[in-house]
Amino acid sequence: MRPLIELLTKLNIKPKHIALFETAFTHSSYNADANTKHHDYERLEYLGDSVIGLVVSEVSYGARPEMAQGPLTKMKSMLVSTNSLADLARKFDFPNYIRVGNSFSGDISKANHLLEDVFEAFFGALYLDQGFEVARKMLIDIFIGPIKAYNVDDLTDYKSRLQEEMQAEHRESVIYEVISESGPSHDKRFVVHVTFDGIELGVGEGKTKKQAEQMAAKAALNKEASK
């Protein structure tokens, strides 16, 4: 484990109370070895979760005025999901600064729930130590790009909607089939069509098979809606 002040310096944070940040990076398993109680990130995680949620909601509301409440809620859920926050923790090299006890087993860098908790606890500590505006600015820097770039189609499960509509009238399922594949391995393009009882309902294209299937289902729904 590396000294925490190294990380804070890299993040341009001059701590007023470094103990807050040390607590944010301490897993509950450390208490047994240190003979302490509740000297871990759990309370700060609770606070940081609210700080992150508020700022992501604020930025999403301002940056995506075309989105209704439902899509905004889905986007926020994806942006602050366990995997997303764990990936951010890895991006900021948090695993190298987390204190765990001897009873902890496994690879910290792969422990997504732990990394999510530490990421939230860090912002709880930052809020208490530096104030809301400092925490807010850092969170905006982190999330504004992904929020602006988010593809609304990724929020909508067109396949489920199509299946529900088809099964309302028929028992059979629709079938998705790749009809073409092109491009190098790092930049593939897939074209998929969706059929029902041998009739093509829609065609879609995407960088992955799943994305192409969603686009094919969307095309089928749009075709049905235009009838």
Side-chain angles (χ1 to χ4, degrees):
M1 187 188 77
R2 300 212 292 258
L4 189 57
I5 191 65
E6 174 186 285
L7 173 65
L8 298 177
T9 300
K10 285 194 295 186
L11 297 175
N12 294 315
I13 297 169
K14 295 181 179 179
K16 298 172 185 175
H17 305 95
I18 196 168
L20 275 172
F21 293 97
E22 290 173 344
T23 301
F25 281 78
T26 300
H27 185 256
S28 58
S29 63
Y30 187 80
N31 285 310
D33 297 350
N35 198 27
T36 54
K37 195 173 183 181
H38 302 309
H39 288 184
D40 53 63
Y41 59 60
E42 290 180 358
R43 280 170 52 82
L44 285 170
E45 172 205 344
Y46 161 80
L47 179 60
D49 175 64
S50 295
V51 174
I52 294 169
L54 173 60
V55 176
V56 171
S57 294
E58 176 201 350
V59 176
S60 299
Y61 181 87
R64 302 301 297 266
E66 81 284 6
M67 277 192 184
Q69 178 189 6
L72 282 170
T73 300
K74 289 180 181 179
M75 178 173 71
K76 177 187 172 185
S77 294
M78 290 185 179
L79 290 171
V80 300
S81 67
T82 296
N83 290 344
S84 295
L85 296 187
D87 285 341
L88 286 169
R90 282 186 281 266
K91 177 182 176 181
F92 286 101
D93 203 23
F94 280 11
N96 285 315
Y97 301 92
I98 297 172
R99 294 192 296 189
V100 298
N102 290 323
S103 63
F104 181 87
S105 59
D107 186 345
I108 294 175
S109 67
K110 295 180 180 178
N112 280 6
H113 283 287
L114 186 156
L115 294 175
E116 173 197 20
D117 293 346
V118 170
F119 187 85
E120 292 172 339
F122 166 76
F123 277 98
L126 187 65
Y127 164 74
L128 291 176
D129 190 70
Q130 302 285 305
F132 178 68
E133 282 306 316
V134 172
R136 177 177 177 271
K137 183 181 183 304
M138 188 172 181
L139 284 166
I140 289 174
D141 289 343
I142 291 170
F143 285 102
I144 186 64
I147 287 170
K148 285 184 174 180
Y150 216 101
N151 186 348
V152 178
D153 284 327
D154 292 339
L155 302 173
T156 306
D157 188 355
Y158 295 108
K159 288 178 66 177
S160 293
R161 281 178 51 192
L162 179 62
Q163 190 64 41
E164 288 170 5
E165 290 196 12
M166 295 302 295
Q167 288 193 329
E169 299 180 16
H170 314 278
R171 289 188 177 183
E172 295 83 357
S173 297
V174 296
I175 297 173
Y176 294 89
E177 182 182 5
V178 176
I179 55 177
S180 74
E181 181 180 333
S182 60
S185 58
H186 66 278
D187 190 24
K188 286 280 189 183
R189 302 297 299 182
F190 296 90
V191 177
V192 167
H193 73 168
V194 56
T195 62
F196 178 79
D197 197 22
I199 300 171
E200 185 177 271
L201 303 179
V203 179
E205 182 177 346
K207 292 184 177 181
T208 66
K209 291 179 184 178
K210 287 184 178 180
Q211 186 181 62
E213 288 172 355
Q214 288 286 355
M215 293 302 96
K218 180 183 180 183
L221 288 164
N222 289 341
K223 187 184 297 185
E224 186 65 24
S226 65
K227 288 181 179 179

